[in-house]
Amino acid sequence: MLLLALGFLLIILQPSSGQFPRVCANMQSLLSKECCPPWDGDGSPCGELSSRGSCQNILLSQAPLGPQFPFSGVDDREDWPSVFYNRTCRCEGNFMGFSCGECKFGFSGLNCTERQVRTRRNIFQLTTSEKNKFLAYLNLAKNIPSQDYVIAIGTYTQMQNGSNPMFRDINVYDLFVWMHYYASRDTLLGGSDVWRDIDFAHEAPGFLPWHRAFLLMWERQIQKITGDENFTIPYWDWRDEEDCGVCNDEYMGGRHPTNPNLLSPASIFFSWQVICTRSEEYNSQQALCSATSEGPIRRNPGNNDKSRTPRLPSSADVEFCLSLTQYESGSMDKMANYSFRNTLEGFADPQTAISNPAQSSLHNALHIYMNGSMSQVQGSANDPIFVIHHAFVDSIFERWLRRHRPMLEVYPAANAPIGHNRENYMVPFIPLYRNGEFFKPSRELGYDYEYLQEPALESFQDFLMPYLQQARQIWAWLVGAAVFGGIVTAVLTGLIRACRKKKGGTSSETQPLLIESEDYNNITYQSNF
């Protein structure tokens, strides 16, 4: 009955977050390179009549890229999304979406003026009813077509530069599997040639912001197709786990009784089919994943290569990672040393922060440990454990942001691998989001984590943060003012002493200042925040 009710809701709700908007996946839009659909509320492109947004040329970052990708003009994802569209909706204020028909993350209401912060909770602390609802929502997403989005099944060249559109429908859950594949796939160079050292979502600074945006969009999709506006993704806290605590039929699926590589027939996920897992086949055919079924989810937790991933991450690993002060460093890829991002992603040793791609730790360790669909980057989102795993990784990112409070400038503006500079648009999202837009505390994006909440402290910090940010911006001025104040104080002290000597016989009743000199020197101007 729950699934029937949720299915009915799909008829009246319009989901929208993802890849190619259906209304722009046609020859006219591709040839004109314009994706500015009308907003349903007033029928004007981008809701312009209601001042929600307008159709504008896309402004691409001109910052130089790192040396990892030595080509230009060979990949549709370069300068995303300009190969397909160079004009899209630019939304005003708190409006968002490919037609400016939604609210930005963290806002709601008719005019998107109401702030909101939802809480993501530990999956083991959900009630049975809440847990079952989460599993039902996942299954619903797997069985309902996306109403607003389609996927590309050919490159722009294969589409004859837009005159032969090649798109197909896809269900809501697989839409996100496909997006994860598309961001991390190899570059097709023609013939049988490919370039593997490219990834728009991993192995570089954008790893954490990209997956943060990905989870927010996924979360919103579930809210829309179910009508449950308060839904949030639960997280799996895997620190110090001896085995896969969610790998049972009560949660994310147990082990098959006769085939340890498959899920239990009693699991809700037993019938799920995976997509986008055959990268070598696509490469040899110079083709994109077409999202056709490629078999069941595979998972054999713990029977992985122990020389690469000997154990699941520990609390000590996480704490060491959080102590690193540099978000990014050096080459800004998987060879970066002392990089918080590279250590959390799992390419650096969690005890030294020295790069060691032969080992897989922290985030990567969970993928390798699952020993199946989760362990191959391009198709890893097929396993629903992906979602609760990445929610916890995002919470560690959030802890680092709260501990170190970096300014936006800490995120690299230039020389990162392709697609990872601060102002680059994230592949393959439409509406467009820049990497830097998600390098900020989660509460500013409308969500928090249950285990990070400290109500009294948080409210005080929320009150104080605007003043701290202003202080950072004018710090040099404050220092200058303090120096100037010190000079003025010294001059006044000298004048007062001179006056006292000159009027040494003056009675105490007529003396202008009744403070001993050593007490006076203890009074200073200070900027306390």
Side-chain angles (χ1 to χ4, degrees), residues 128-139:
T128 300
S129 174
E130 291 168 336
K131 180 260 299 177
N132 289 340
K133 183 169 65 173
F134 169 60
L135 299 180
Y137 285 178
L138 284 170
N139 208 38

Side-chain angles (χ1 to χ4, degrees), residues 320-333:
F320 174 81
C321 184
L322 287 168
S323 73
L324 299 171
T325 58
Q326 296 184 83
Y327 177 75
E328 198 54 271
S329 66
S331 57
M332 294 184 279
D333 56 19

Side-chain angles (χ1 to χ4, degrees), residues 92-96 102-105 107 111-114:
E92 302 294 335
N94 296 327
F95 298 116
M96 187 183 80
E102 296 187 12
C103 297
K104 283 184 177 179
F105 300 116
F107 290 89
N111 296 310
C112 302
T113 55
E114 301 171 18

Side-chain angles (χ1 to χ4, degrees), residues 160-186:
Q160 299 175 18
N161 298 328
S163 61
N164 179 35
M166 298 173 65
F167 300 96
R168 67 164 291 180
D169 294 335
I170 193 167
N171 67 61
V172 171
Y173 188 93
D174 285 350
L175 171 66
F176 286 85
V177 177
W178 191 92
M179 286 195 292
H180 191 265
Y181 147 79
Y182 190 81
S184 55
R185 69 174 179 84
D186 301 331

Side-chain angles (χ1 to χ4, degrees), residues 149-319:
Y149 281 90
V150 292
I151 62 167
I153 58 173
T155 65
Y156 192 67
T157 299
Q158 292 167 348
M159 294 186 196
Q160 299 175 18
N161 298 328
S163 61
N164 179 35
M166 298 173 65
F167 300 96
R168 67 164 291 180
D169 294 335
I170 193 167
N171 67 61
V172 171
Y173 188 93
D174 285 350
L175 171 66
F176 286 85
V177 177
W178 191 92
M179 286 195 292
H180 191 265
Y181 147 79
Y182 190 81
S184 55
R185 69 174 179 84
D186 301 331
T187 294
L188 307 177
L189 296 175
S192 59
D193 295 333
V194 297
W195 186 262
R196 301 179 190 278
D197 191 14
I198 184 171
D199 195 317
F200 290 84
H202 305 86
E203 302 180 17
F207 166 68
L208 292 168
W210 191 96
H211 285 83
R212 171 163 282 196
F214 180 87
L215 290 180
L216 279 166
M217 288 186 287
W218 192 90
E219 199 167 57
R220 179 164 290 190
Q221 281 291 290
I222 299 298
Q223 293 165 358
K224 285 179 171 291
I225 66 173
T226 62
D228 184 354
E229 295 184 355
N230 294 316
F231 168 78
T232 55
I233 300 169
Y235 57 87
W236 173 31
D237 184 348
W238 33 248
R239 291 174 296 181
D240 304 314
E241 287 269 21
E242 295 294 330
D243 52 28
C244 180
V246 296
C247 295
N248 54 62
D249 291 336
E250 183 181 356
Y251 288 95
M252 311 308 290
R255 199 186 301 270
H256 193 283
T258 60
N259 187 338
N261 294 312
L262 300 179
L263 300 185
S264 163
S267 168
I268 194 174
F269 305 113
F270 173 72
S271 61
W272 279 29
Q273 293 284 301
V274 301
I275 65 171
C276 302
T277 61
R278 300 173 180 172
S279 58
E280 293 306 316
E281 180 180 314
Y282 313 143
N283 289 347
S284 65
Q285 298 173 357
Q286 293 287 294
L288 299 183
C289 164
S290 61
T292 55
S293 298
E294 296 174 350
I297 294 174
R298 302 182 72 83
R299 188 197 300 156
N300 191 348
N303 290 321
N304 57 289
D305 181 358
K306 296 299 193 297
S307 65
R308 182 175 177 183
T309 303
R311 58 176 175 80
L312 289 173
S314 67
S315 296
D317 294 340
V318 172
E319 292 305 316

